[in-house]
Amino acid sequence: MALPAIHGVLDGTALRADFPVFERLTASGNPLSYLDSASSSQKPRAVIDAVADGYAHHYANVHRGIYELSVDADARYEGARRAVARFIGAPSSREVVFVRNATEALNLVAYSWGRANIGAGDLVLSTEMEHHANLVPWQQLAAATGARLEYVRLTDDGRLDLDDLRRRLAGGPKLLAVGHVSNALGTINPVVEITRLAHEAGAVVVLDAAQSVPHMPVSVADLGVDFAAFSGHKMLGPSGIGALWGRRELLDAMPPFLTGGSMITRVTLEGTEWNEVPWKFEAGTPAIAEAMGLAAAIDYLEGLGMANVRAHERLLFERAWSALGEVPGVRRMGPGSPDEHAGVISFVVDGIHPHDVATILDRQGVAVRAGHHCAQPVMARYDLPATTRASFYVYNDLDDVERLTDAIQATQRIFGPA
C-alpha cells in the first residue's frame, strides 16, 4: 500500500544508521521494522559506547572514594543527574532521584510519601487508564492504610472523563496518580488542567511520565505536578536506570524508601541520621555506568530537539491512523486527534486474536506488541482480551507505516473473512 512521501523534521530512515540493531535481518530475511518502542526503545551507538566506556575507563563506586578514578565517576554520575534535571525542566538537580525505572519511582512515592501522609478513610484517586505500575502501588497503599481508592472513568473514545474527575475531586482526595500518556491507548492527557483541578481540591499529583518524557518536550515546572516518574530504557537509554522527580519540600519531608549504605550521614548503635535529598533515597551502589548512558541518550535526544521528536511522531501517527482507517475490519483505539494522541496506536483486527496478528507481522519483520500492555483495566473497559499495538520513535519513518499496513492486510488474507 504505497503512501505519499512524508516531509517531517526528522529522517527516521537516516537515523537508523545510528542504531546497530537495524543492521541485522530478521529470520524472515526482511529488515527489522521495530514498532514496540512504547515497551522499550532501541539504543543508539552513542549510548552503547557511553556505557562501555564508563565500565572500561571511568568506573569506580561513587560518593565514597577520594582517589582520582572515584572522583571522575562521581562527577559523571552527578553530571547525569544535572542532565536529567535540565531535560525535564526541573528547578534543581537535587530534586532528581535515580531509581531503576518508573515502576520503582512510583513505588517509592507510594511507600514513602503515601505511608507518611495517607491514613484510614483518606481518598486516593487514580484512573482506569493507568499502567499497572500506577495502579498496584496505590492498591497496596490503600490496603495497608485503610484509605479509599477510586478511579476516574474513561470515555468511549479513550479520553479521561474530566466531568467524572471533577466529581471525584469534590471528595477531597489527598493524592491523584495519573499518566501523562496512556501506553495502551496513546491518549495524551491534559495534565496542566488536571493538575490545576487536583491542587484546587488539595491533592498531591503524581505523574507517570514514562510515555511522555521520551517523546515530547516535558517541563515538570510548567506542568505543575508534584512528582514525576520515568524510565531510561524507553528514551534510548540503558535499562536499570530511571528517575523520580519530586518537589524539594516534599522529598525533604519524606522518610527513606530503602536503607543501608550511602543514604546516611551518621550511624551509631543507637540510631541513624539520613543524608540529604536526593541521596537519602539512593541506598547502595547505584547504576553508575548506566547513568552515563542515560546522559548520552539525553544528549542524543537534545541534539534532535524534543519538539522535532514530537512533530515527527505526530506525522507518523497521522499517516498510520489514516492508513489503518482505510483497512476494513480494523478498529483503532483512542482519540483520533493528533493533538491528543501520541505515536502509539492500539488496534483490533476483526476475527483475529491480537497474538495471531503479531505473529504474522513478525514473520514479515514487523515487531509489534500484543496483549493487555500491563493495563488490564483498560482492556476490561472496552471488553477486549487484548489489542495489537504499534508504537513509533525517532528511527521510524513512512516505510514502517507502509510495512505495518501491508502486513495487517496480509494477515487478513491468511485468516480469510471474519
Side-chain angles (χ1 to χ4, degrees):
M1 180 179 179
L3 298 173
I6 189 170
H7 300 288
V9 290
L10 299 180
D11 185 342
T13 302
L15 287 179
R16 282 200 283 272
D18 293 339
F19 294 79
V21 71
F22 294 109
E23 296 169 2
R24 59 170 287 174
L25 291 178
T26 63
S28 64
N30 293 306
L32 173 64
S33 183
Y34 187 76
L35 299 176
D36 194 25
S37 294
S39 176
S40 196
S41 65
Q42 295 299 330
K43 319 304 174 191
R45 189 169 284 102
V47 169
I48 297 168
D49 290 348
V51 174
D53 185 56
Y55 278 120
H57 302 116
H58 306 285
Y59 186 81
N61 220 323
V62 295
H63 308 145
R64 290 164 172 82
I66 58 174
Y67 52 89
E68 178 183 337
L69 188 60
S70 180
V71 171
D72 176 37
D74 195 54
R76 291 169 184 269
Y77 182 77
E78 293 301 328
R81 194 190 308 274
R82 290 191 294 274
V84 170
R86 181 184 70 244
F87 190 67
I88 63 170
S92 169
S93 63
R94 293 284 297 276
E95 297 177 330
V96 174
V97 179
F98 280 134
V99 290
R100 289 181 300 166
N101 43 47
T103 298
E104 182 176 317
L106 294 165
N107 275 272
L108 192 163
V109 177
Y111 185 91
S112 180
W113 187 92
R115 298 201 179 201
N117 291 277
I118 301 295
D122 287 340
L123 177 59
V124 174
L125 289 184
S126 188
T127 86
E128 293 180 343
M129 184 184 287
E130 303 309 309
H131 187 284
H132 295 164
N134 206 24
L135 283 178
V136 179
W138 313 117
Q139 292 175 343
Q140 292 295 98
L141 176 64
T145 62
R148 295 180 293 124
L149 180 58
E150 296 181 1
Y151 303 100
V152 180
R153 291 200 299 258
L154 280 171
T155 64
D156 290 343
D157 61 356
R159 294 176 172 88
L160 279 183
D161 185 336
L162 296 187
D163 289 334
D164 187 53
L165 171 65
R166 292 183 180 93
R167 285 192 294 270
R168 296 183 189 279
L169 287 174
K174 286 198 170 181
L175 179 143
L176 169 64
V178 62
H180 197 169
V181 173
S182 167
N183 73 303
L185 298 171
T187 308
I188 303 173
N189 286 318
V191 173
V192 172
E193 180 183 2
I194 289 170
T195 299
R196 177 183 60 79
L197 293 171
H199 283 168
E200 289 174 356
V204 164
V205 178
V206 180
L207 185 69
D208 177 358
Q211 298 291 345
S212 60
V213 165
H215 299 284
M216 60 188 67
V218 170
S219 167
V220 293
D222 291 345
L223 292 175
V225 297
D226 301 294
F227 296 99
F230 59 97
S231 299
H233 72 93
K234 294 184 188 293
M235 53 185 287
L236 309 183
S239 59
I241 188 163
L244 169 70
W245 172 83
R247 294 190 184 280
R248 177 69 183 273
E249 61 271 21
L250 296 177
L251 294 174
D252 281 338
M254 289 161 52
F257 177 43
L258 300 173
T259 56
S262 200
M263 48 74 63
I264 53 85
T265 56
R266 183 170 180 266
V267 176
T268 68
L269 296 180
E270 290 70 39
T272 300
E273 296 174 7
W274 311 132
N275 205 340
E276 297 179 328
V277 297
W279 307 288
K280 178 173 69 172
F281 298 105
E282 295 178 4
T285 297
I288 299 166
E290 288 78 6
M292 300 177 199
L294 180 58
I298 289 172
D299 286 345
Y300 187 92
L301 288 170
E302 287 180 333
L304 298 178
M306 291 308 296
N308 293 335
V309 172
R310 169 59 184 149
H312 178 68
E313 292 183 24
R314 188 181 191 277
L315 284 168
L316 291 176
F317 163 77
E318 287 184 281
R319 296 300 181 89
W321 187 264
S322 176
L324 293 185
E326 295 176 4
V327 180
V330 173
R331 175 186 174 191
R332 301 160 298 173
M333 307 297 295
S337 168
D339 292 330
E340 299 176 84
H341 205 128
V344 176
I345 300 181
S346 283
F347 59 93
V348 177
V349 181
D350 289 346
I352 310 175
H353 194 281
H355 290 168
D356 292 326
V357 174
T359 298
I360 300 302
L361 266 60
D362 180 57
R363 292 176 183 174
Q364 301 188 45
V366 180
V368 296
R369 177 59 58 91
H372 54 66
H373 315 298
C374 294
Q376 288 178 302
V378 175
M379 301 299 117
R381 168 63 178 82
Y382 298 107
D383 194 26
L384 295 169
T387 68
T388 307
R389 184 186 70 187
S391 50
F392 303 105
Y393 209 6
V394 297
Y395 35 66
N396 296 121
D397 219 328
L398 196 62
D399 57 331
D400 293 300
V401 176
E402 183 175 341
R403 290 184 65 191
L404 171 67
T405 308
D406 288 346
I408 292 171
Q409 292 174 315
T411 303
Q412 290 176 315
R413 289 192 295 270
I414 290 170
F415 280 85

